[in-house]
């Protein structure tokens, strides 16, 4: 366990700047542009699909996705961005694998992304620590994206933090009777709907990262998420080098930019 020893400007928007922050992983992600994504632990297939696509599009443009390491929308956001482009803020110590079902995901983020917490090693998640975690998740992002949420849910507590911090809130358009929390936010004009995933993500892309990728035919090809076999046939040597260096990862036979 290591402590963060420098000031994080984004956290000045919190009610009280954290006394201590503990981490495991790549602190350089804190210097990247960041988008916070939160939502239900039991989302619909529709919400999962769009959040995974959104996270992937953000990561392609050099944006770091911040979420809470929980089941559902959180895990989907982390996976969509890939471990190297995500920060998981935990309601427990960075050595605790909670929830247990996300053990492999959290270990992957520790290796190539960043685990962050306000709690010392060994601290177990408790009802109040989730609230503390939620505020930190919201504070780190330029804006807050809510994938899905019911009115009486912990996710809506994150929305309250975002409103208090003056952050823009974006939601997925949902059917009537589903995700009533986000639908209410739209009705009350407290949030804006995301109707075009690619266009929304492009608003936050790091142009320097995109220029670098455009100058590299291999990375540009990988940004289309080709099959591993297709990439191997077109760039045999680069595929092996990129895997070893962590530039790409292979998920279910498909290439993704890390």
């Amino acid at each position: 366990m290591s402590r963060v020893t420098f000031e994080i400007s984004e956290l000045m928007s919190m009610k009280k700047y954290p006394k201590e922050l503990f981490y495991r992983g790549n602190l350089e992600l804190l210097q990247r542009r960041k988008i916070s994504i939160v939502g239900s632990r039991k989302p619909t297939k529709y919400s999962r699909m769009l959040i995974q696509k959104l996270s992937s599009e953000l990561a392609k443009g050099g944006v770091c996705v911040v979420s809470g390491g929980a089941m559902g929308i959180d895990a989907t956001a982390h996976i969509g961005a890939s471990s190297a482009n995500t920060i998981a803020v935990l309601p427990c110590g960075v050595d605790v694998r909670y929830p247990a079902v996300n053990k492999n995901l959290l270990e992957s983020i520790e290796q190539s992304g960043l685990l962050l917490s306000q709690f010392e090693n060994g601290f177990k998640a408790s009802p109040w620590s989730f609230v503390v975690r939620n505020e930190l998740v919201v504070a780190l992002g330029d804006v807050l994206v809510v994938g899905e949420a019911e009115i009486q849910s912990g996710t809506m507590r994150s929305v309250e933090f975002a409103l208090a911090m003056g952050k823009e809130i974006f939601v997925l358009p949902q059917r009537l009777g589903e995700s009533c929390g986000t639908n209410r936010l739209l009705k009350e004009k407290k949030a804006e709907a995301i109707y075009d995933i690619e266009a929304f993500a492009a608003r936050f892309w790091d142009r320097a990262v995109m220029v670098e990728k455009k100058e590299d035919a291999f990375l540009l090809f990988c940004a289309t998420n080709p099959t591993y076999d297709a990439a191997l046939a077109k760039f045999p040597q680069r595929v092996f080098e990129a895997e070893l260096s962590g530039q790409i990862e292979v998920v279910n036979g498909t290439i993704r930019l890390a």
Side-chain angles (χ1 to χ4, degrees), residues 110-159:
E110 179 181 333
Q111 291 301 313
S112 54
L114 179 64
L115 299 180
L116 199 62
S117 174
Q118 294 189 59
F119 308 105
E120 294 188 355
N121 275 359
F123 181 86
K124 302 296 177 63
S126 62
W128 65 269
S129 71
F130 288 104
V131 178
V132 172
R133 184 273 310 275
N134 292 349
E135 184 182 15
L136 186 55
V137 169
V138 174
L140 284 170
D142 287 4
V143 301
L144 176 67
V145 175
V146 184
E148 180 179 330
E150 294 306 322
I151 293 174
Q152 299 297 329
S153 66
T155 298
M156 295 305 288
R157 183 72 176 106
S158 294
V159 169

Side-chain angles (χ1 to χ4, degrees), residues 9 11 29 52 57 61 67 71 76 112 115 117 121 123 135 146 158 164 177 196 200 209 234 258:
S9 59
L11 303 191
L29 289 177
Q52 182 157 347
E57 288 295 322
S67 197
M71 296 182 290
T76 301
S112 54
L115 299 180
S117 174
N121 275 359
F123 181 86
E135 184 182 15
V146 184
S158 294
D196 187 321
F200 176 82
V209 173
K234 193 174 180 68

